[in-house]
Amino acid sequence: MSADNDQQAREQLIDLAAQFYDQFELGEIPHMSVPTRTKNNIEYDEDKDVWVYGDRESTRSANSVRGARKLLKAVYTIEFLANQLEEDRSSTLRELYYLSESWDNNEAQFSDQDESNGLIEDLEIVSGVTREDFHMRPEESGATIMGPLHLREQTRRGERDIHCQEDVGEGGYQIPNNPDTIEFLDCDADFILAVETGGMRDRLVENGFDDEYNALIVHLKGQPARATRRIIKRLHDELDLPVTVFADGDPWSYRIYGSVAYGSIKSAHLSEYLATPAAQYIGIQPADIVEYDLPTDPLSDSDINALESELEDPRFQTDYWEEQIELQLEIGKKSEQQSLAARGLDFVTETYLPERLSEMGVI
């Protein structure tokens, strides 16, 4: 991020804190309103083709002791972030939680990291500045890319050109915290295959799937970090690459797909920045469990509750997802993507993925 952008982000944070003082001067109780972050308060924006927050809001107000503490913590956090930007430093979300232990007011200290993470999300929404522009980063996600992509990355030692096959080991190119510092130089890939698990990612690389099918294999590493979702979106938007998501056949993995395609509920304010609505789910599908007679586990009570919740989730209310989820509830089974190995180690790259990609019109 440039010095000018750093200064702009800092000014927006300070302006936010100044609003509390303005409210005092007007004789108002200091307050801050943020959208309610629940599935009942997301709606489809047809112009932007993403899911965003609706009109319901929650108010952080100093009219109670609890609300006053929240605003106090917000002011202390704004001061910390403004100083961090001025000094051109960065910190992790975990470090922010521990740093609050050194603040001179005990009431401003966070009780746990969920609280500090939630406040950073609030500040993103009301200031219009992303946490990456606050110079805040998560713990390293370790997500990687393997495939025919040549890029230029901005590092603290200067620019570095990297080919995501030729210049990396079998582990691939590690996605940086802020992918907007990357410049795409050249790309011979035909599509993106975003993969949930490390075991399946390694199987695809070992079998040379990236070479044979000109694929960019992106390891999601479970629930994908924002940086992973951001680079997928950039690759799709800027290089016109189709996006497919390959995950386990269970309700939690469907939500992993959902976070790539629709955005997550808690970061719906960033859907336009992170979500790739054109992303397609390649599997494992409940239909695959039946068709290939895959090894399975029974659905747990929490699995069933999650599937039923997804049927009520507006992001999953499509013919495809309703059909697949209802089938899964009917058969009462779930299956991992690595269960395809029951048909041989090469089945996934020689049969399953090529057939699915062909059916989807990707290859």
Short mmCIF file of all heavy atoms in Angstrom, two decimals, residues 282-310:
data_model
loop_
_atom_site.label_atom_id
_atom_site.label_comp_id
_atom_site.label_asym_id
_atom_site.label_seq_id
_atom_site.Cartn_x
_atom_site.Cartn_y
_atom_site.Cartn_z
N ILE A 282 -17.54 -28.50 -7.79
CA ILE A 282 -17.26 -29.68 -8.61
C ILE A 282 -17.50 -30.98 -7.85
O ILE A 282 -17.76 -32.02 -8.43
CB ILE A 282 -15.83 -29.60 -9.17
CG1 ILE A 282 -15.64 -30.59 -10.32
CG2 ILE A 282 -14.79 -29.82 -8.09
CD1 ILE A 282 -14.36 -30.38 -11.10
N GLY A 283 -17.43 -30.94 -6.54
CA GLY A 283 -17.66 -32.15 -5.72
C GLY A 283 -16.82 -32.08 -4.47
O GLY A 283 -16.07 -31.13 -4.28
N ILE A 284 -16.99 -33.10 -3.62
CA ILE A 284 -17.81 -34.29 -3.73
C ILE A 284 -19.30 -33.92 -3.55
O ILE A 284 -19.66 -33.24 -2.62
CB ILE A 284 -17.41 -35.31 -2.65
CG1 ILE A 284 -15.95 -35.74 -2.80
CG2 ILE A 284 -18.33 -36.52 -2.64
CD1 ILE A 284 -15.65 -36.56 -4.05
N GLN A 285 -20.14 -34.43 -4.48
CA GLN A 285 -21.57 -34.21 -4.40
C GLN A 285 -22.23 -35.41 -3.72
O GLN A 285 -21.75 -36.54 -3.84
CB GLN A 285 -22.18 -34.09 -5.80
CG GLN A 285 -21.53 -33.07 -6.71
CD GLN A 285 -22.08 -33.19 -8.12
OE1 GLN A 285 -22.87 -32.37 -8.55
NE2 GLN A 285 -21.69 -34.23 -8.82
N PRO A 286 -23.35 -35.20 -3.04
CA PRO A 286 -24.12 -36.35 -2.56
C PRO A 286 -24.44 -37.33 -3.70
O PRO A 286 -24.44 -38.55 -3.49
CB PRO A 286 -25.38 -35.70 -1.99
CG PRO A 286 -24.90 -34.37 -1.50
CD PRO A 286 -23.89 -33.93 -2.52
N ALA A 287 -24.69 -36.80 -4.91
CA ALA A 287 -24.95 -37.68 -6.05
C ALA A 287 -23.75 -38.57 -6.35
O ALA A 287 -23.90 -39.72 -6.81
CB ALA A 287 -25.32 -36.85 -7.27
N ASP A 288 -22.52 -38.08 -6.10
CA ASP A 288 -21.32 -38.88 -6.32
C ASP A 288 -21.25 -40.04 -5.34
O ASP A 288 -20.76 -41.14 -5.68
CB ASP A 288 -20.06 -38.03 -6.15
CG ASP A 288 -19.97 -36.90 -7.17
OD1 ASP A 288 -20.48 -37.06 -8.29
OD2 ASP A 288 -19.40 -35.85 -6.82
N ILE A 289 -21.70 -39.80 -4.11
CA ILE A 289 -21.68 -40.86 -3.09
C ILE A 289 -22.49 -42.05 -3.57
O ILE A 289 -22.08 -43.21 -3.43
CB ILE A 289 -22.24 -40.32 -1.75
CG1 ILE A 289 -21.34 -39.20 -1.21
CG2 ILE A 289 -22.37 -41.45 -0.73
CD1 ILE A 289 -21.89 -38.51 0.03
N VAL A 290 -23.63 -41.75 -4.18
CA VAL A 290 -24.50 -42.80 -4.70
C VAL A 290 -23.92 -43.41 -5.97
O VAL A 290 -23.80 -44.64 -6.10
CB VAL A 290 -25.91 -42.24 -4.97
CG1 VAL A 290 -26.80 -43.31 -5.59
CG2 VAL A 290 -26.53 -41.70 -3.68
N GLU A 291 -23.51 -42.56 -6.93
CA GLU A 291 -23.06 -43.06 -8.23
C GLU A 291 -21.82 -43.92 -8.13
O GLU A 291 -21.71 -44.96 -8.79
CB GLU A 291 -22.80 -41.87 -9.17
CG GLU A 291 -22.31 -42.29 -10.55
CD GLU A 291 -22.09 -41.12 -11.49
OE1 GLU A 291 -22.43 -39.98 -11.10
OE2 GLU A 291 -21.57 -41.35 -12.60
N TYR A 292 -20.85 -43.50 -7.30
CA TYR A 292 -19.58 -44.21 -7.21
C TYR A 292 -19.50 -45.15 -6.01
O TYR A 292 -18.46 -45.78 -5.79
CB TYR A 292 -18.42 -43.22 -7.16
CG TYR A 292 -18.29 -42.37 -8.40
CD1 TYR A 292 -18.58 -41.01 -8.36
CD2 TYR A 292 -17.90 -42.92 -9.61
CE1 TYR A 292 -18.47 -40.21 -9.50
CE2 TYR A 292 -17.79 -42.14 -10.76
CZ TYR A 292 -18.07 -40.78 -10.69
OH TYR A 292 -17.97 -40.02 -11.82
N ASP A 293 -20.59 -45.23 -5.24
CA ASP A 293 -20.63 -46.08 -4.05
C ASP A 293 -19.40 -45.83 -3.18
O ASP A 293 -18.66 -46.74 -2.81
CB ASP A 293 -20.70 -47.56 -4.45
CG ASP A 293 -21.02 -48.47 -3.26
OD1 ASP A 293 -21.62 -47.97 -2.29
OD2 ASP A 293 -20.64 -49.65 -3.32
N LEU A 294 -19.20 -44.55 -2.84
CA LEU A 294 -18.00 -44.15 -2.10
C LEU A 294 -18.08 -44.59 -0.64
O LEU A 294 -19.16 -44.70 -0.06
CB LEU A 294 -17.85 -42.62 -2.14
CG LEU A 294 -17.62 -42.00 -3.53
CD1 LEU A 294 -17.57 -40.48 -3.40
CD2 LEU A 294 -16.35 -42.53 -4.17
N PRO A 295 -16.91 -44.84 -0.02
CA PRO A 295 -16.89 -45.07 1.43
C PRO A 295 -17.48 -43.86 2.14
O PRO A 295 -17.21 -42.71 1.76
CB PRO A 295 -15.39 -45.24 1.73
CG PRO A 295 -14.79 -45.67 0.44
CD PRO A 295 -15.58 -44.97 -0.63
N THR A 296 -18.25 -44.09 3.17
CA THR A 296 -18.98 -43.00 3.82
C THR A 296 -18.93 -43.11 5.34
O THR A 296 -18.53 -44.14 5.90
CB THR A 296 -20.46 -42.99 3.39
OG1 THR A 296 -21.05 -44.24 3.80
CG2 THR A 296 -20.62 -42.79 1.91
N ASP A 297 -19.36 -42.05 5.97
CA ASP A 297 -19.66 -42.02 7.40
C ASP A 297 -21.11 -41.56 7.54
O ASP A 297 -21.61 -40.81 6.68
CB ASP A 297 -18.75 -41.03 8.14
CG ASP A 297 -17.30 -41.52 8.19
OD1 ASP A 297 -17.09 -42.68 8.56
OD2 ASP A 297 -16.41 -40.72 7.84
N PRO A 298 -21.79 -41.99 8.61
CA PRO A 298 -23.17 -41.53 8.79
C PRO A 298 -23.19 -40.05 9.17
O PRO A 298 -22.26 -39.54 9.79
CB PRO A 298 -23.68 -42.41 9.93
CG PRO A 298 -22.45 -42.83 10.68
CD PRO A 298 -21.38 -42.95 9.64
N LEU A 299 -24.25 -39.36 8.78
CA LEU A 299 -24.42 -37.97 9.18
C LEU A 299 -24.65 -37.90 10.69
O LEU A 299 -25.45 -38.67 11.23
CB LEU A 299 -25.62 -37.35 8.46
CG LEU A 299 -25.51 -37.16 6.94
CD1 LEU A 299 -26.84 -36.62 6.41
CD2 LEU A 299 -24.37 -36.22 6.58
N SER A 300 -23.96 -36.99 11.36
CA SER A 300 -24.20 -36.76 12.78
C SER A 300 -25.38 -35.82 12.95
O SER A 300 -25.87 -35.23 11.98
CB SER A 300 -22.95 -36.15 13.42
OG SER A 300 -22.73 -34.84 12.89
N ASP A 301 -25.83 -35.68 14.18
CA ASP A 301 -26.92 -34.74 14.44
C ASP A 301 -26.54 -33.32 14.03
O ASP A 301 -27.37 -32.59 13.47
CB ASP A 301 -27.30 -34.76 15.93
CG ASP A 301 -28.00 -36.05 16.34
OD1 ASP A 301 -28.49 -36.77 15.43
OD2 ASP A 301 -28.05 -36.34 17.55
N SER A 302 -25.27 -32.94 14.29
CA SER A 302 -24.85 -31.59 13.91
C SER A 302 -24.78 -31.44 12.39
O SER A 302 -25.06 -30.36 11.85
CB SER A 302 -23.49 -31.26 14.54
OG SER A 302 -22.48 -32.13 14.08
N ASP A 303 -24.42 -32.52 11.68
CA ASP A 303 -24.43 -32.49 10.21
C ASP A 303 -25.84 -32.26 9.70
O ASP A 303 -26.07 -31.44 8.80
CB ASP A 303 -23.91 -33.81 9.64
CG ASP A 303 -22.43 -34.05 9.88
OD1 ASP A 303 -21.68 -33.07 9.98
OD2 ASP A 303 -22.04 -35.23 9.98
N ILE A 304 -26.79 -32.99 10.27
CA ILE A 304 -28.18 -32.87 9.83
C ILE A 304 -28.71 -31.47 10.10
O ILE A 304 -29.35 -30.85 9.23
CB ILE A 304 -29.05 -33.93 10.54
CG1 ILE A 304 -28.66 -35.34 10.06
CG2 ILE A 304 -30.54 -33.67 10.28
CD1 ILE A 304 -29.30 -36.46 10.85
N ASN A 305 -28.40 -30.95 11.28
CA ASN A 305 -28.84 -29.59 11.60
C ASN A 305 -28.23 -28.57 10.64
O ASN A 305 -28.90 -27.61 10.22
CB ASN A 305 -28.45 -29.24 13.04
CG ASN A 305 -29.27 -30.01 14.06
OD1 ASN A 305 -30.38 -30.46 13.77
ND2 ASN A 305 -28.73 -30.17 15.26
N ALA A 306 -26.94 -28.78 10.29
CA ALA A 306 -26.27 -27.85 9.37
C ALA A 306 -26.88 -27.92 7.98
O ALA A 306 -27.08 -26.88 7.32
CB ALA A 306 -24.78 -28.16 9.31
N LEU A 307 -27.20 -29.12 7.51
CA LEU A 307 -27.83 -29.27 6.19
C LEU A 307 -29.20 -28.61 6.17
O LEU A 307 -29.56 -27.91 5.20
CB LEU A 307 -27.95 -30.74 5.83
CG LEU A 307 -26.64 -31.46 5.45
CD1 LEU A 307 -26.86 -32.96 5.40
CD2 LEU A 307 -26.10 -30.96 4.12
N GLU A 308 -29.98 -28.82 7.22
CA GLU A 308 -31.30 -28.20 7.29
C GLU A 308 -31.20 -26.68 7.35
O GLU A 308 -32.02 -25.96 6.76
CB GLU A 308 -32.06 -28.75 8.50
CG GLU A 308 -32.45 -30.23 8.32
CD GLU A 308 -33.10 -30.82 9.55
OE1 GLU A 308 -32.96 -30.21 10.64
OE2 GLU A 308 -33.73 -31.89 9.44
N SER A 309 -30.15 -26.19 8.04
CA SER A 309 -29.92 -24.75 8.09
C SER A 309 -29.57 -24.21 6.71
O SER A 309 -30.01 -23.12 6.32
CB SER A 309 -28.80 -24.43 9.09
OG SER A 309 -28.50 -23.06 9.09
N GLU A 310 -28.80 -24.97 5.95
CA GLU A 310 -28.42 -24.53 4.60
C GLU A 310 -29.62 -24.47 3.67
O GLU A 310 -29.68 -23.62 2.77
CB GLU A 310 -27.33 -25.45 4.05
CG GLU A 310 -25.97 -25.18 4.68
CD GLU A 310 -24.94 -26.25 4.45
OE1 GLU A 310 -25.26 -27.26 3.79
OE2 GLU A 310 -23.81 -26.09 4.94
#
